[in-house]
Each structure stands twice: as C-alpha cells, then as structure tokens.
Amino acid sequence: FISDYTAEDFNMTNKSGTYDRRDGVDDCETYQDLLEAMDTMGFAPEEQKDILAITCAVLHSSNLTFNSLSADESEIDRENPHLEPVLSLMGFTAENLNRALCYFSIVAGKEKHTRSLPKQKAEKGTEALIKATYGALFTYLVQRINASITLKDEKSQRGSRGSSGKTKAATIGVLDIFGFESFKVNSFEQLCINYCNEALQQQFNLFVLKKEQEEYEREGIQWSFISFPENQDVLDLIDKKGSGILNILDDQCRAPGTTDKTFANDIYQKCTGHTRFEANFRQVGARQFGVHHYAGTVEYDTEGFVEKNRDELPKEATELLLSSTNEFVKKLANIVSPPTAAPTGGGRGRKAASAGTRVTVGGQFSRQLQELRSKIDLTSPHYVRCLKPNDLLVPDHFDPVNIVDQLRCAGVIEAVRVSRVGYPQRYPHSAFVARYRILGLQALKKAARGSRRVKPVDALVNSIALQIQAIDSGNADTSIENDQKSSKKGSEPDVDLVSVGIQVGKTKVFLRRHAYEVLERLRGVKM
C-alpha cells in the first residue's frame, strides 16, 4: 500500500520539507535491521505484518479529506485514493469511518441524539484517531519487548516446591533524554519537554554534585562547598499543586467554557511575581509568557494549550476501533481505552470518564515523570552526554562556542568543576593499604612496633605524602632517604596532606587527580 509513495506524499511526514539523509544511512538497510530485530525479540511473522500494516494505515489516514455539506455538516471524501488503504488495513467500513469522524452523539437522560460535525472538527477528530492509534501501537511494542527480555523464573512457572515465585536479578535500563527545546514559536509540547529536562537536570545535580560534596562532609575531610544552580523553583513554577502552570492548565481544562485566553489570564494572575516567570506588556498582548529555565529563557505561546492538554479522543473513534474486523486493531483499541470492571447491572464495562476525573496530557506526563525519577533514584546511574558539533549539519566542523553552551546547559561544566577541585579517586582504608603498602613498608613496620597506637592507613598516607611532596619539589631521592632515616630514629616529619592532595576520611582515603597519578607512577616503578 505504500510502494508507490515517498515521505513527501503523506501529510504526516512532509511538513518539515527535509527528506534527504545526510548521515550516510541507507533506509533500506535499516528496514532489514528492523525486521531482524523483531525476529530476535520473538515477534511472529503475522504479528510483524500487523504492526507494519497499522503504520501504513496511519500514514494514509493523514491524507484523508472531507467535503463540507454545510456550515455544520461534512462527510468523508469517498474519491480520495487513500481511503481504500485505510479501510482495508484497519478493518473499517466506509460508513462506520464516516459516522465516527463526521458525527457525534449526545446522551440526555435515556435519549441519545446524533449531531453532525463541520469539516474542521472532522479533521481534528481524524488527527486524534491517528495519534491514539499510533500511541497504542508504540505502547504495544514497548509491552512486547519488555515481555520478551524479562527474566523468567522457571521454578515458579513449574510450580516447584520451595520456590518463592520471585525473580531476583539486576536490571539495566537505557534512558534517552531529549534536550531543551527553544524555537521561534514554543507551545505546550516544548513546555512538557523542557519540564522533563528541568526535573532530570535536578536529578543530575543531586547525584553528581550534592552527593559528591555530602560524602566529603560525611567522611569529615576538609572541603569548600561548591555552589551550583538550583532549579527547584522552576519545577515549582511548572508543576506545583495549585499554582503551577500545568495545574492551572488542568483546572482550565476541567472547567466549562474555558479557552486559551482564560488560561493565559489565569497564569498572569497567579504566576506574576515569580522570579522564574516572565510576562511583559508585549507578551501579555500576544498571550505569551516566558520561563527562565536552567538552560536559558524560553518564551511560550498559549495558543492551543487547552486543546492539546485535553487531547480527547471522541467516544465514536474508540467505538470505531472496537468495531474493526481486524483483531490486532481491537487489541490497540483496548490499549487506547482499557475496559473497566463490569457494572452491577451488566454491560460491557467501558465507561467514559467525566471531565473531573479524566486524566489530562499534562497530568499524565507529570505522573510518568515522577515515576521515572523514582526509578532512577533506585539505580546507580551513569550519564552519557551527546554533543552536536555544529548547527549546520556538516562534518569536520567544530563550533567551540556551541559546544561550551551545550556543556553548560547540561550541567557538565559544574560536574567538571567538582571533579577538578575535589577528590575523584577514593579507596576504603583497607583497599588503600593493600594497593599502596609497597610504597611505605618502613612506615607500616614502625607503626606496628611503636608504643603509640597509629592506624596503618595514617602511617602509610603520611609516608606517601612525604614522597609526593619531595617529587613536587624536585628532591625525590633525598626526601625518601630522609624519610626512611627519620622513621628509624622515631621522628615523624610534618606534612600538609591537603596541599599534597590526600585526605584520610572516616572510612576512605581521598586522592586528588595529581596525587593519584604520582602514586600510580611510584607504584609502577616499585613493582
């Protein structure tokens, strides 16, 4: 159904005007990689066919058109060549599709009234159906892949005695974080994306910066606290209950008769005065507002916020998916609108949520983000930062200003500062003694024989610090000889451990980068 078409032919894929690959990737090769990946994940051939069929149907659906019959009535264009592929791939009839997109029903008491829709609303309903179908397909793929890679407990499956039925295994997750977005026109989507980045940036700060300094304080070593940008106030501006932008938007979506204008007026009233919020005369006149994000100020246009946050799939569209003759489409329908428990009086148990209980897009996004952060808190994260060398999309061109700006926005500059002024290498006391004892055998023997109780780690660190101090001053051999002589005589030369780059904490030995490099070099020579 798409062999005669290209990306330029579908409304869903031709809006950017960019169709050529600049990275040397062959789409035909990646398509074969996709099929092989599906085989590896255990997707059956028929299942693969269903997935690709829905993808084709979604593309054709974006090209459906409507004819206006009057100001308040429309019908689907039966002459459109894209209609037949949609009907065939989705298992719909033309009549059912037309009824779902061009009409809506109102229930008043026990009576049901059907009303027609104008062309513009029919087009909006088509967009909602496409988004819901494609979103359900994405959810289905995630569920299938997770089921395929989840470790199975064979004992519990066999019902073996003594099996707890629980699987204890480590897991590895990969999170692809999208970057901050700031375009000429920024809307609801950009606010959600930038909100996510703010939250994950705070988590990065807490993990890399705060935890680093807190460990130094916990270990009782000398340390100058490094200040770093804190963005909790931005998160409060966006999602704080009652006064956050997303919460204000949710309240607007639940109330009858609200528009983007009433939403804009509400945030101007409730958010003006917040240090991270901006709304000057020009912005108020254009119904815009600015947020001072961690990465910089982004200006948002409120047009479309209310509708995008509601993102309601018409009840008729859900019923259309359920009426399909394609069993795979019915699976997707149950993902779009999961059946609830059957009511007492019987029935199918699928009830539309009221305006007060319906979950908005912003509310769902915020909930999923909180769940993600909770998961990350339980892990030991490792961060990989991807940097774009230039904005021209050309090879062999490195824009240093652009790179530094990305590093600063990603919080990497602050992380490097902590690493440089702090102690990136650290060992438990026993591990330090085991690794570097060869550099202070005399000091360790003296500590063991001495009348005054000296911890082996303290004796070893003091001996090593003298050697590092000597190397830095250019008198390595002389100082080591003096150190050994003084050890025999019983004197202990004073050494400033902080200036050398070593500190002994309550449970660990901390090394600056220079001290660690010298230690490794000395150890290599000795061995």
Side-chain angles (χ1 to χ4, degrees), residues 77-149:
D77 183 3
R78 308 270 178 136
E79 302 299 321
N80 190 315
H82 297 278
L83 177 60
E84 180 55 34
V86 172
L87 298 178
S88 176
L89 294 170
M90 296 291 289
F92 299 152
T93 64
E95 291 72 21
N96 286 347
L97 182 61
N98 187 73
R99 189 183 308 113
L101 298 179
C102 299
Y103 294 88
F104 72 101
S105 57
I106 301 174
V107 178
K110 296 184 178 180
E111 297 183 356
K112 183 178 181 180
H113 304 277
T114 301
R115 297 285 185 270
S116 59
L117 288 170
K119 178 181 177 181
Q120 184 180 10
K121 289 194 174 182
E123 292 170 345
K124 289 290 185 183
T126 305
E127 292 176 4
L129 177 62
I130 291 172
K131 288 173 64 177
T133 304
Y134 193 72
L137 179 61
F138 182 86
T139 301
Y140 175 83
L141 289 171
V142 171
Q143 291 174 349
R144 281 286 288 107
I145 292 170
N146 284 342
S148 176
I149 65 177

Side-chain angles (χ1 to χ4, degrees), residues 419-491:
S419 182
R420 282 187 171 180
V421 304
Y423 298 83
Q425 299 294 333
R426 58 205 68 174
Y427 295 93
H429 289 176
S430 58
F432 182 84
V433 172
R435 182 171 183 81
Y436 296 112
R437 65 181 300 116
I438 194 173
L439 300 179
L441 293 175
Q442 291 291 337
L444 289 171
K445 289 178 182 179
K446 178 193 169 186
R449 292 195 304 261
S451 57
R452 188 166 61 92
R453 184 178 178 84
V454 178
K455 291 182 179 180
V457 67
D458 291 328
L460 180 59
V461 165
N462 192 67
S463 175
I464 287 174
L466 287 170
Q467 297 176 52
I468 295 176
Q469 197 174 56
I471 289 174
D472 290 342
S473 63
N475 299 314
D477 295 336
T478 304
S479 179
I480 292 174
E481 290 176 3
N482 291 337
D483 177 35
Q484 292 174 347
K485 291 178 181 178
S486 63
S487 296
K488 294 177 181 178
K489 293 178 181 178
S491 61

Side-chain angles (χ1 to χ4, degrees), residues 177-181 186-200 235 238-239 245-246 249-250 289 291 293 298 300 305 308-309 360-366 368-369:
I177 306 173
F178 30 56
F180 275 93
E181 290 190 354
N186 300 287
S187 189
F188 176 70
E189 298 88 348
Q190 281 69 49
L191 180 64
C192 289
I193 288 172
N194 293 342
Y195 164 45
C196 178
N197 275 277
E198 286 285 356
L200 295 178
L235 295 174
I238 297 173
D239 71 354
I245 294 172
L246 290 180
L249 181 59
D250 282 353
F289 65 93
V291 175
H293 286 288
V298 178
Y300 298 96
F305 261 63
K308 290 174 180 177
N309 192 46
T360 61
V361 174
Q364 184 181 24
F365 188 89
S366 181
Q368 291 176 342
L369 179 58

Side-chain angles (χ1 to χ4, degrees), residues 13 15 21 35 129 137 139 147 150 164 194 208 232 247 253 277 292 331 351 391 412 428 491 519:
T13 54
K15 300 303 181 184
R21 301 289 300 245
L35 297 181
L129 177 62
L137 179 61
T139 301
T150 298
S164 64
N194 293 342
V208 177
Q232 181 59 48
N247 284 273
C253 290
F277 184 80
H292 299 297
K331 287 182 181 180
K351 185 178 179 181
D391 289 329
V412 176
S491 61
L519 270 183

Side-chain angles (χ1 to χ4, degrees), residues 212-471:
E212 185 89 357
Q213 295 172 114
E214 285 174 0
E215 181 172 17
Y216 297 156
E217 294 176 350
R218 196 165 52 244
E219 287 285 327
I221 66 174
Q222 297 181 38
W223 171 252
S224 298
F225 190 85
I226 293 179
S227 61
F228 60 90
E230 174 59 82
N231 62 342
Q232 181 59 48
D233 51 350
V234 189
L235 295 174
D236 289 342
L237 171 63
I238 297 173
D239 71 354
K240 188 174 183 179
K241 190 173 182 180
S243 60
I245 294 172
L246 290 180
N247 284 273
I248 295 172
L249 181 59
D250 282 353
D251 292 340
Q252 288 285 316
C253 290
R254 295 187 185 101
T258 53
T259 63
D260 295 328
K261 182 179 180 179
T262 61
F263 163 63
N265 291 336
D266 207 5
I267 59 172
Y268 295 149
Q269 179 181 355
K270 295 179 179 178
C271 299
T272 298
H274 195 289
T275 55
R276 296 280 193 160
F277 184 80
E278 175 183 282
N280 54 38
F281 288 113
R282 176 191 63 80
Q283 291 170 323
V284 171
R287 295 177 194 165
Q288 298 172 344
F289 65 93
V291 175
H292 299 297
H293 286 288
Y294 180 82
T297 302
V298 178
E299 187 176 83
Y300 298 96
D301 192 324
T302 60
E303 182 178 355
F305 261 63
V306 173
E307 182 181 346
K308 290 174 180 177
N309 192 46
R310 285 192 180 121
D311 194 31
E312 297 173 357
L313 179 66
K315 177 172 61 68
E316 291 74 16
T318 304
E319 293 173 348
L320 173 68
L321 293 172
L322 287 168
S323 71
S324 171
T325 58
N326 186 324
E327 291 301 319
F328 187 73
V329 173
K330 289 182 179 179
K331 287 182 181 180
L332 299 183
N334 285 310
I335 293 176
V336 171
S337 180
T340 57
T344 306
R348 298 189 61 172
R350 195 179 297 269
K351 185 178 179 181
S354 66
T357 60
R358 188 181 296 118
V359 179
T360 61
V361 174
Q364 184 181 24
F365 188 89
S366 181
R367 176 181 57 79
Q368 291 176 342
L369 179 58
Q370 297 306 319
E371 291 174 356
L372 172 64
R373 294 191 67 178
S374 298
K375 283 185 178 180
I376 295 176
D377 283 337
L378 299 175
T379 67
S380 299
H382 300 265
Y383 291 87
V384 177
R385 297 292 184 179
C386 301
L387 303 175
K388 187 167 62 172
N390 61 75
D391 289 329
L392 304 176
L393 301 180
V394 296
D396 302 323
H397 177 59
F398 188 88
D399 184 351
V401 176
N402 192 345
I403 292 292
V404 170
D405 187 50
Q406 292 176 72
L407 291 172
R408 184 176 293 109
C409 291
V412 176
I413 298 295
E414 290 298 317
V416 172
R417 280 185 58 211
V418 169
S419 182
R420 282 187 171 180
V421 304
Y423 298 83
Q425 299 294 333
R426 58 205 68 174
Y427 295 93
H429 289 176
S430 58
F432 182 84
V433 172
R435 182 171 183 81
Y436 296 112
R437 65 181 300 116
I438 194 173
L439 300 179
L441 293 175
Q442 291 291 337
L444 289 171
K445 289 178 182 179
K446 178 193 169 186
R449 292 195 304 261
S451 57
R452 188 166 61 92
R453 184 178 178 84
V454 178
K455 291 182 179 180
V457 67
D458 291 328
L460 180 59
V461 165
N462 192 67
S463 175
I464 287 174
L466 287 170
Q467 297 176 52
I468 295 176
Q469 197 174 56
I471 289 174

